[in-house]
Amino acid sequence: VQDTDARRQCDRAGQAMNMASTPTAPAPVRIDPDKPLVLKDALDQAWRSSPRLIAAYRRWEAALARVPQARSLEDPALTFEYMLEQRNTLYKAQLSQAIPLAGKLDLKDRMALAEARAAMHEFESARLAVYDRVVKTFHEYVYLARSLAVTGENVELMGALERVVSERYQAGSSSHSDLVKAQVEKEKMASELAFMKDERRARSAALAAVLNLPVERELPLPLTPEPAAGIPDESTLIDMLRDLNPDLKAKDAMIERQEIAEKLAGRSAVPDLMLGTSYEVMAGASGKGQESNVGVMAGITLPIWWGRYRAAKAEARATQEATVQDRNDLENQIRADLVMAVARYHDAARRLNMYRDSLLPKAQQALEVSRKDFAGGKISFTLLLDAQRTALEFQRQQARALADHEMAVAEI
């Protein structure tokens, strides 16, 4: 029953993924170069074509295929004997079958099922790892796209401001230093914009690699998504980790597998049953004709190598204990990672709210006031530049906080 359920889960997972390597799967999602990239399309592409995910799925399938092998009997043995010196027996055929006792086949079956469950959870872990990688790479691309847009707008504003300062300089109402400052600031912003355009190729290639797309093809810039909803409190997340984390579930399955292996090793000293039948052809009495005889055979194996059996049991016990400690170490590490991710989430949420609701609106308001005061000759050009730099930096920091916020949610 467990094997059937596991196989059904495997089939459902494959249908849901619609992986490109499956003959009946549809073609991979095509990213439209003329439309902004959205996270859903990126994830759909990853589900269909990620080599890591396909490999994990195939390993799960391979583990399931080992279940019927584990619960099957060994092949029967068929022997044929022909007598070179035919005095009594002419030839004989014998068929024999070894039958494990003491529930050994059942234990092997349960071991294989535990390995299949571990492979299933490892597939889930790979799926979440791909999700995490896609989301993080996507939001780094979002941050770059937002920085490109903001910096491009500021380059245009700086160009317009340079023209105003140039006109005022020619009219004698602005100093030459103001003109130089405007030109230098414009060149600095243009250089930053050029660097970001070069970085776009790298960010696009990183995302394309995750999506198993050609890295030389530049992906369209992504849409800036709305921030994700809040998360449960930390204690609730830790409880969810114990119940849901697939890496821990895979370790639990392997611990179960090793416990069964120890039981199986303990039964190595139990004899196995041998059953067989034979067909024998003999020369007839007084050399007249032939006679045949049918026989049955029953026997047992002789488990006499006690040292080997004790060593096998000790090996299984030590492996089981090592797996338990690996699982404990993994849980400690994952809990620490979770606590750190929660801290990063709260920090990003705080920064996002601060820039979006307070600092950025005030900086933009201050910039507008500075522009009016500069136009009216109330403040110096240096103060206007400072206000514009502050507004630009706050816009970038808001985009950085949004990317960090979404990446922390994905990790959690």
Side-chain angles (χ1 to χ4, degrees):
V1 173
Q2 289 175 313
D3 179 27
T4 302
D5 291 342
R7 169 58 68 177
R8 288 173 179 170
Q9 290 175 356
C10 183
D11 291 341
R12 285 197 299 269
Q15 292 168 5
M17 285 166 45
N18 285 328
M19 294 185 302
S21 63
T22 305
T24 57
V29 173
R30 295 186 181 277
I31 304 298
D32 192 338
D34 299 324
K35 294 182 180 179
L37 183 63
V38 295
L39 181 58
K40 181 181 180 300
D41 288 345
L43 287 171
D44 285 345
Q45 176 69 25
W47 297 151
R48 293 167 181 261
S49 61
S50 167
R52 178 176 182 178
L53 199 55
I54 294 173
Y57 181 80
R58 297 309 180 201
R59 283 192 291 269
W60 180 13
E61 280 193 325
L64 282 168
R66 288 193 291 269
V67 174
Q69 300 177 61
R71 62 169 173 241
S72 299
L73 294 172
E74 294 295 331
D75 291 336
L78 176 63
T79 61
F80 180 81
E81 184 178 4
Y82 184 81
M83 305 303 174
L84 296 179
E85 296 183 5
Q86 300 175 354
R87 296 178 180 177
N88 295 318
T89 302
L90 301 180
Y91 56 86
K92 178 170 64 175
Q94 184 174 2
L95 178 67
S96 62
Q97 173 70 61
I99 301 177
L101 300 179
K104 294 177 186 177
L105 274 184
D106 179 64
L107 291 175
K108 290 181 179 180
D109 180 42
R110 289 167 56 193
M111 281 176 57
L113 281 170
E115 292 173 358
R117 284 195 295 275
M120 177 183 69
H121 295 311
E122 288 168 359
F123 165 72
E124 278 296 312
S125 177
R127 188 178 66 85
L128 293 176
V130 169
Y131 171 85
D132 177 73
R133 190 177 172 194
V134 169
V135 171
K136 288 181 177 179
T137 310
F138 179 86
H139 280 287
E140 287 291 353
Y141 201 28
V142 169
Y143 168 66
L144 178 64
R146 185 58 186 156
S147 297
L148 271 169
V150 169
T151 305
E153 292 172 2
N154 277 266
V155 168
E156 293 180 1
L157 291 173
M158 201 64 230
L161 187 58
E162 179 197 13
R163 290 191 292 272
V164 171
V165 173
S166 177
E167 292 172 359
R168 294 182 62 170
Y169 170 70
Q170 293 173 1
S173 57
S174 286
S175 66
H176 183 261
S177 64
D178 286 345
L179 178 59
V180 172
K181 288 178 183 178
Q183 292 172 341
V184 169
E185 192 68 20
K186 178 185 174 183
E187 288 299 320
K188 285 173 59 178
M189 288 186 180
S191 177
E192 290 179 5
L193 184 62
F195 173 77
M196 290 178 185
K197 289 180 178 179
D198 290 338
E199 187 182 3
R200 177 186 173 182
R201 294 184 60 192
R203 294 293 181 186
S204 172
L207 183 56
V210 179
L211 304 182
N212 198 29
L213 293 173
V215 297
E216 63 275 7
R217 186 179 71 185
E218 193 170 79
L219 296 175
L221 289 173
L223 284 176
T224 302
E226 290 295 321
I231 61 172
D233 61 86
E234 188 174 308
S235 60
T236 301
L237 286 172
I238 290 177
D239 290 338
M240 293 170 66
L241 182 149
R242 296 192 189 99
D243 296 333
L244 300 176
N245 183 269
D247 292 317
L248 295 181
K249 285 186 173 184
K251 286 293 184 184
D252 289 337
M254 290 308 296
I255 290 172
E256 179 186 350
R257 189 262 182 207
Q258 292 306 133
E259 290 173 347
I260 299 170
E262 184 179 356
K263 293 180 181 178
L264 182 61
R267 299 184 189 181
S268 299
V270 178
D272 292 334
L273 181 62
M274 297 290 295
L275 296 178
T277 183
S278 62
Y279 179 76
E280 184 178 11
V281 176
M282 302 170 291
S286 303
K288 297 179 180 179
Q290 295 179 349
E291 297 179 357
S292 61
N293 184 32
V294 177
V296 294
M297 179 271 289
I300 59 172
T301 59
L302 298 177
I304 61 174
W305 310 114
W306 294 96
R308 187 183 71 183
Y309 309 142
R310 285 193 296 268
K313 190 172 182 179
E315 177 192 2
R317 184 184 303 111
T319 304
Q320 191 266 344
E321 292 175 357
T323 308
V324 170
Q325 295 306 317
D326 285 342
R327 195 261 184 211
N328 293 339
D329 180 69
L330 179 62
E331 181 175 1
N332 290 338
Q333 185 60 53
I334 293 176
R335 289 182 65 170
D337 292 343
L338 176 60
V339 171
M340 183 61 69
V342 171
R344 284 196 290 267
Y345 166 81
H346 288 305
D347 175 67
R350 175 188 57 78
R351 288 187 286 119
L352 181 60
N353 293 333
M354 178 178 66
Y355 285 111
R356 180 184 56 195
D357 302 333
S358 178
L359 293 184
L360 185 55
K362 291 177 181 178
Q364 290 173 333
Q365 183 180 6
L367 178 59
E368 290 300 321
V369 172
S370 297
R371 286 172 179 165
K372 293 178 181 178
D373 289 346
F374 176 74
K378 297 180 181 180
I379 63 171
S380 67
F381 181 68
T382 301
L383 292 177
L384 175 59
L385 275 183
D386 289 342
Q388 184 158 337
R389 288 170 183 158
T390 300
L392 172 60
E393 182 62 21
F394 284 179
Q395 285 177 301
R396 290 177 179 172
Q397 290 299 324
Q398 181 187 5
R400 181 71 262 173
L402 175 60
D404 292 344
H405 181 274
E406 299 305 293
M407 290 162 67
V409 171
E411 187 171 357
I412 291 169

